[in-house]
Amino acid sequence: MNQILIIVFLPMLAAIIAGLGNKQLGNVAAKSITTGALFIACGLSWPIFIQFLNGSAEATVVPVMKWVASGTLNFDWALRVDTLTAVMLVVVTSVSALVHLYSWGYMDEEPDQPRFFAYLSLFTFAMLMLVTANNLVQMFFGWEGVGLASYLLIGFWFRKPSASAAAIKAFVVNRVGDLGFMLGIFGTFLVFGTVSIPDILAAAPGMAGSTIGFLGMRFDTMTVLCLLLFVGAMGKSAQLGLHTWLPDAMEGPTPVSALIHAATMVTAGVFMVCRLSPMFETSPTAMTFITFIGAATCFFAATIGCTQWDIKRVIAYSTCSQLGYMFFAAGVGAFGSAMFHLFTHAFFKALLFLCAGSVIHAMHHEQDMRFYGNLRKQIPITFWAMTFGTLAITGVGLFGVGFAGYHSKDSIIEAAYASGTGMGHFAYWMGIVAALMTSFYSWRLVFLTFFGKPRWAGSEHIQHAVHDAHGHGHDDHGHGHADHDDGTAGYHPHESPLVMLIPLILLSVGAIAAGYVFEHAFVSDGMGEFWKGSLVFHEHLIHAMHGISGVIKYMPFIVMLIGLVIAWYGYIKNTRFPAAVAEQLGPVYTFVYRKWMFDELYHYMFVVPAFWIGKVFWKVLDIGVIDRFGPDGAAWAVAKGSTYTQKVQSGYLYSYALIMLLGLVGAISWVIAG
């Protein structure tokens, strides 16, 4: 298992070399070192995964070094390799390697490429540290590492105000969630006396039913710990309430979106809950809460995805919704299904984002789908790759054979219903409605982008492209209209270079086959031999899932077809229909389009009061008190004093003699009086 050291630390070494070497190293060398390191890590990760898949590997811990020894707090830096780790190694290294390769083409015109590739590799190293953690402090190190790297990547174009604001927003919102995560770690150490994950999980069942003092009251110990830990997961995995950073993160380069939303940051919360599943199993209250938040997020994000026009934001809200599926799967005890969907989602969501990047690249950085149309003829490979990704996310399949999402998402929906609880049934119906909307907004994206008439004339970006290409394209009044009838004749969208298409082709294979090939290992009968105790696996839930029949079982397929038909009718058959529906819905549509007003709500709840408090401290405390009696008061006293002392400094000898005499008299008087 020494290869795990290479897998984890090679990306870090590449990041250091590319980051410190920067422009002295050169673009090609920096890209070659970082990309090569990730492909080596990926090549070493797959054999480990296959060994666990065929049952020939056992969980092991590889020590790195002694880390902390302080009183009762003792832990080493060690890398844990078990089935759960093996799954995440494949996900992280595969997607990251392909994103590195894709970025060769997408970021080709970027002058600061070494810094970008160094950030990508740093991001990957931090995530690998997180998934190989053998104790909670090491997990927190990776947890904060991906937060730092995401801040750097989202704000990579730091001269762009919206990108800088998005990076700060992601950092601040995640700090809110991380406060809960830290409190959960502190509380866990307080209760168990250790931060070792295996020791905590072994002792967790024995703490069921105990109570702990918190906020001046007594609560169930495991419920408090699990809810605090889950708050961290809500921030990192963009669940309802702490989700607002994720759509704004689209301001970063598209490869960053693919990496953050497919393999790294947003899946960290799901991984953490599955890793600590024996802890969460001891608290029915925490499991119910996780189910509710996951189901609510699943529905909420899907509604917003139906109204957005920015191609990347549609996919971003899709990510938020799919993470909701994973969490409510964990909430009903189907941890294997949650990880299965995380695994398949990595391939088809990375594919969708990179396809979106290919479209944006072809359309001269235009991201508004209203200015697309009929692109399937100009960029056919991207079109087919996007189609495969859409077939995967919408769950196309029947009678046990289908695209990736059909196997993983359907297993989650079936598990929610099979759980037999009221909250499980709530999650089932939320999942069904979200599946309908997922189908609608996914096919809406495909139809707006690749079908219909070209609508490029209204795009400012395309007008500029036409102008740059032909030296004209503006009318006599400078309104920026192209000198062509439809504004498109002077600009022809082009397919992306081969270095960007290869990742699309490889990810398409995953979107097509990952579900069917690996379903048996992730969510099959047999007491969870594949997982080997790395997470809680309920055999009885699998049996109950097999017992579902009739319309309940085929409901995901039915609503997928309904969503497809509605999207086809509205964006192919009768293009006036969507606008009519939006007008009919009126304020409801506006409410959803404005993202349920969460940004406005948080603005008035937190930002406005914070500015008011800051202004009060500035005007009243800082200027009115500190400056008045501090710097300004002292300066006034010194100025006044200097005015009087200037009169004493006359330059005449008799004046100085008089002062000395007065001083001597005063000193003698003080001595005599004393």
Side-chain angles (χ1 to χ4, degrees):
M1 278 295 176
N2 287 332
Q3 60 262 46
I4 189 65
L5 296 172
I6 300 174
I7 293 170
V8 172
F9 291 108
L10 196 58
M12 181 192 72
L13 182 61
I16 292 173
I17 294 172
L20 296 181
N22 208 294
K23 294 181 180 178
Q24 287 75 22
L25 193 63
N27 290 345
V28 175
K31 292 189 293 186
S32 300
I33 291 170
T34 53
T35 306
L38 260 300
F39 271 95
I40 292 172
C42 178
L44 294 173
S45 296
W46 274 96
I48 294 175
F49 174 70
I50 292 171
Q51 287 171 14
F52 279 99
L53 196 64
N54 61 29
S56 63
E58 295 294 333
T60 185
V61 176
V62 179
V64 177
M65 66 178 183
K66 294 286 185 181
W67 198 2
V68 171
S70 176
T72 59
L73 181 62
N74 292 274
F75 55 88
D76 298 334
W77 194 347
L79 307 179
R80 181 174 185 80
V81 184
D82 57 13
T83 306
L84 192 59
T85 304
V87 171
M88 294 303 295
L89 288 178
V90 166
V91 167
V92 173
T93 58
S94 298
V95 175
S96 184
L98 293 176
V99 167
H100 274 73
L101 180 61
Y102 179 92
S103 299
W104 279 60
Y106 193 87
M107 303 296 287
D108 185 52
E109 298 178 1
E110 173 60 44
D112 203 4
Q113 294 179 46
R115 180 167 64 92
F116 178 78
F117 280 84
Y119 289 170
L120 283 184
S121 294
L122 176 64
F123 200 120
T124 308
F125 162 70
M127 190 65 190
L128 291 170
M129 284 302 306
L130 193 158
V131 302
T132 57
N134 196 44
N135 61 71
L136 291 177
V137 178
Q138 189 177 326
M139 180 181 285
F140 186 72
F141 172 81
W143 192 274
E144 293 303 301
V146 294
L148 169 65
S150 69
Y151 168 79
L152 296 173
L153 283 167
I154 295 168
F156 177 75
W157 289 320
F158 56 86
R159 292 183 179 85
K160 183 180 176 184
S162 58
S164 296
I168 293 171
K169 186 175 184 179
F171 198 80
V172 171
V173 173
N174 273 277
R175 295 295 72 72
V176 176
D178 291 351
L179 175 61
F181 191 47
M182 285 189 289
L183 291 174
I185 294 175
F186 298 155
T188 301
F189 176 70
L190 177 68
V191 170
F192 294 97
T194 180
V195 292
S196 170
I197 292 175
D199 293 344
I200 292 169
L201 300 185
M207 293 303 299
S210 64
T211 61
I212 189 174
F214 184 66
L215 300 176
M217 294 178 284
R218 303 296 297 183
F219 295 97
D220 180 79
T221 302
M222 298 309 296
T223 297
V224 171
L225 297 181
C226 291
L227 289 179
L228 287 172
L229 292 169
F230 181 64
V231 169
M234 288 177 63
K236 199 64 72 181
S237 296
Q239 293 301 282
L240 184 63
L242 294 177
H243 67 279
T244 52
W245 67 269
L246 189 144
D248 288 6
M250 298 300 98
E251 293 294 337
T254 300
V256 173
S257 304
L259 194 55
I260 291 176
H261 291 174
T264 53
M265 188 166 170
V266 296
T267 60
V270 179
F271 167 80
M272 185 267 287
V273 171
C274 291
R275 169 64 82 199
L276 303 180
S277 52
M279 277 187 70
F280 285 90
E281 281 278 305
T282 62
S283 173
T285 302
M287 295 288 280
T288 300
F289 182 74
I290 293 171
T291 305
F292 174 76
I293 291 294
T297 305
C298 178
F299 172 81
F300 150 81
T303 62
I304 301 175
C306 295
T307 64
Q308 300 301 299
W309 295 109
D310 186 309
I311 187 171
K312 287 172 65 176
R313 283 182 179 264
V314 173
I315 304 174
Y317 278 108
S318 167
T319 298
C320 198
S321 182
Q322 297 302 309
L323 288 164
Y325 277 106
M326 298 176 208
F327 274 115
F328 80 65
V332 299
F335 297 101
S337 295
M339 288 303 301
F340 186 31
H341 196 50
L342 186 155
F343 181 80
T344 62
H345 177 262
F347 294 105
F348 63 72
K349 185 52 61 69
L351 175 62
L352 289 171
F353 265 116
L354 295 185
C355 285
S358 183
V359 172
I360 294 167
H361 183 267
M363 296 302 290
H364 205 70
H365 305 293
E366 177 61 73
Q367 295 181 199
D368 194 323
M369 296 185 296
R370 287 171 290 191
F371 301 124
Y372 291 168
N374 201 36
L375 289 176
R376 69 186 187 279
K377 298 177 182 178
Q378 281 76 20
I379 47 174
I381 298 177
T382 301
F383 163 66
W384 282 109
M386 181 72 88
T387 301
F388 291 139
T390 303
L391 291 168
I393 194 173
T394 56
V396 174
L398 198 60
F399 304 122
V401 179
F403 290 82
Y406 164 75
H407 295 275
S408 59
K409 188 165 70 174
D410 281 22
S411 75
I412 289 176
I413 294 173
E414 291 172 10
Y417 188 85
S419 67
T421 64
M423 188 56 70
H425 286 176
F426 168 76
Y428 170 83
W429 288 110
M430 286 292 98
I432 289 296
V433 176
L436 189 154
M437 291 187 285
T438 300
S439 178
F440 169 75
Y441 66 64
S442 298
W443 289 112
R444 170 180 178 261
L445 184 152
V446 171
F447 294 148
L448 279 171
T449 304
F450 297 104
F451 292 87
K453 296 180 179 179
R455 299 180 298 278
W456 315 331
S459 169
E460 182 180 351
H461 287 129
I462 301 304
Q463 291 169 15
H464 288 167
V466 173
H467 174 75
D468 294 341
H470 296 276
H472 52 68
H474 291 76
D475 61 19
D476 294 336
H477 302 286
H479 295 311
H481 298 293
D483 292 339
H484 307 281
D485 293 337
D486 62 357
T488 63
Y491 183 81
H492 299 285
H494 53 86
E495 188 61 275
S496 298
L498 185 62
V499 74
M500 292 172 64
L501 295 179
I502 290 174
L504 301 188
I505 295 169
L506 294 175
L507 288 169
S508 294
V509 175
I512 294 169
Y516 179 77
V517 172
F518 297 108
E519 181 179 24
H520 181 75
F522 280 82
V523 287
S524 65
D525 294 330
M527 300 305 292
E529 301 99 331
F530 172 65
W531 294 110
K532 294 184 177 179
S534 60
L535 52 71
V536 173
F537 191 85
H538 292 295
E539 186 73 15
H540 67 86
L541 187 59
I542 300 297
H543 288 313
M545 289 165 59
H546 291 333
I548 297 174
S549 60
V551 69
I552 295 295
K553 186 176 183 65
Y554 294 109
M555 186 63 75
F557 180 77
I558 295 170
V559 296
M560 180 275 297
L561 288 179
I562 294 172
L564 170 60
V565 170
I566 294 173
W568 171 82
Y569 181 78
Y571 295 95
I572 298 294
K573 180 69 174 177
N574 182 7
T575 55
R576 297 180 180 179
F577 177 70
V581 172
E583 185 177 356
Q584 192 71 26
L585 291 174
V588 175
Y589 175 83
T590 302
F591 176 73
V592 175
Y593 178 73
R594 296 283 294 274
K595 300 165 284 189
W596 288 38
M597 300 293 187
F598 267 95
D599 284 331
E600 290 82 354
L601 176 66
Y602 288 172
H603 176 76
Y604 288 109
M605 281 182 65
F606 302 113
V607 177
V608 171
F611 271 93
W612 181 82
I613 293 171
K615 191 173 182 179
V616 168
F617 275 95
W618 170 41
K619 293 286 189 181
V620 178
L621 188 62
D622 191 20
I623 296 178
V625 178
I626 297 175
D627 285 353
R628 182 179 179 184
F629 297 103
D632 292 347
W636 177 84
V638 170
K640 283 293 184 183
S642 65
T643 301
Y644 293 113
T645 56
Q646 284 174 4
K647 296 177 180 179
V648 177
Q649 300 294 329
S650 63
Y652 294 108
L653 184 60
Y654 60 80
S655 296
Y656 299 147
L658 177 62
I659 292 171
M660 291 173 64
L661 181 61
L662 291 174
L664 182 61
V665 170
I668 294 172
S669 301
W670 180 76
V671 171
I672 294 173

